[in-house]
Amino acid sequence: MQKWIMSGLFFAACAFAVILMFTLPGKAEVAEENKPTMPEVQMDAASAEATVKKANCITCHGDQLQGGVGPSLQQEGGKHDAGEIFTIVTKGRGQMPSFKDKLAPEEIANVAMWLSEKK
C-alpha cells in the first residue's frame, strides 16, 4: 500500500514539475519584462549637462566625463545606444547606483540621448 502512495506522490510531483517548466517564463522573457522603456524626449544638451551635475555624475566620471572612479563617458555613444544607456542609468550596473529614484525618466532619457551622441 505504501508503495502505491509513494509512487502516486512521485508521479504527481513529476507532473507538477513538467507543468511548471512549460508555464513559467524563461530568463530572457523575465529580463525583457524588467527592461525600462525610454520615454520620447527632445534632446537638450544644456539640460543634459545640468542633469549630469545635479546627479553628481562628475564625482565618479569626472568634470569632462574623462573617467576616474567610474569609466570615461567621452565616447559612450560608440559603445551603447540611447536605449542601453537609459537602462544602465535607470537600473545601475556594477558599482554604478540606480538613478530611477533620483531622476525623472525624461531627465534620464535626455542624458542617455546626449551621451549616445558622444562617439
Side-chain angles (χ1 to χ4, degrees):
M1 180 74 170
Q2 286 182 346
K3 290 181 183 180
W4 288 102
I5 294 172
M6 292 303 289
S7 11
L9 287 175
F10 178 73
F11 176 74
C14 289
F16 185 66
V18 168
I19 291 169
L20 286 178
M21 283 178 18
F22 289 109
T23 58
L24 290 177
K27 188 176 183 180
E29 293 167 335
V30 171
E32 191 63 34
E33 287 174 5
N34 292 336
K35 185 177 180 185
T37 55
M38 187 168 130
E40 293 289 326
V41 296
Q42 292 292 326
M43 190 193 73
D44 179 7
S47 175
E49 288 180 28
T51 302
V52 164
K53 290 177 183 171
K54 170 184 163 186
N56 293 322
C57 301
I58 58 177
T59 57
C60 295
H61 297 288
D63 60 345
Q64 300 297 311
L65 303 178
Q66 74 275 11
V69 175
S72 171
L73 300 178
Q74 291 177 339
Q75 297 178 345
E76 189 64 19
K79 301 174 197 166
H80 300 100
D81 66 12
E84 293 170 331
I85 296 170
F86 179 81
T87 301
I88 292 168
V89 175
T90 302
K91 294 177 89 175
R93 185 172 75 178
Q95 293 195 356
M96 181 175 163
S98 167
F99 283 87
K100 71 179 176 184
D101 296 332
K102 297 175 184 138
L103 297 173
E106 293 78 17
E107 290 176 311
I108 297 173
N110 190 30
V111 169
M113 291 174 61
W114 178 65
L115 287 173
S116 70
E117 296 200 354
K118 295 191 174 295
K119 298 181 181 183

